[in-house]
Amino acid sequence: MAKWTPKHEAPEPLEGPVVPVITGGTIIWFVLFLVQLPFYGWFDDHGQLWWLWTCLAGGALGLLGIRITRSRDAAIKRAQAAAEAGPAHETEQAPAE
């Protein structure tokens, strides 16, 4: 079997407002959990408790996602700031001997 080779280069990834999207999704998961919570007995009687716990897990993982995306955005902004100010800082920091 021949090895697959791409016919063209992959496009650059799209950058967008990632943190608000993750935050919105996390809020939705927690709202779904809270909406289903009063029906705990019904879910338990019908063997469908996994719906409830899936929503809670989605909210918890969303909190982790918010933390990761916020730190990623901060790192990107720091790298951009360092790239813009890089040459000026290199000459200032080098001691004259």
Side-chain angles (χ1 to χ4, degrees):
M1 178 174 241
K3 184 178 178 183
W4 179 81
T5 57
K7 299 196 184 322
H8 54 81
E9 191 170 327
E12 291 292 322
L14 296 174
E15 290 293 331
V18 180
V19 175
V21 171
I22 301 296
T23 303
T26 302
I27 290 170
I28 290 171
W29 279 115
F30 278 125
V31 167
L32 289 171
F33 172 74
L34 292 175
V35 166
Q36 293 178 9
L37 198 55
F39 303 101
Y40 184 90
W42 185 90
F43 284 117
D44 192 24
D45 292 343
H46 291 85
Q48 301 293 323
L49 275 178
W50 65 272
W51 284 84
L52 192 70
W53 303 127
T54 299
C55 293
L56 184 61
L61 290 172
L63 292 175
L64 180 63
I66 291 170
R67 182 175 179 190
I68 291 170
T69 54
R70 288 184 72 197
S71 64
R72 177 183 176 270
D73 280 355
I76 289 172
K77 288 177 184 174
R78 280 193 310 268
Q80 287 174 345
E84 291 174 359
H89 288 328
E90 289 176 8
T91 57
E92 292 175 7
Q93 292 178 356
E97 291 184 33

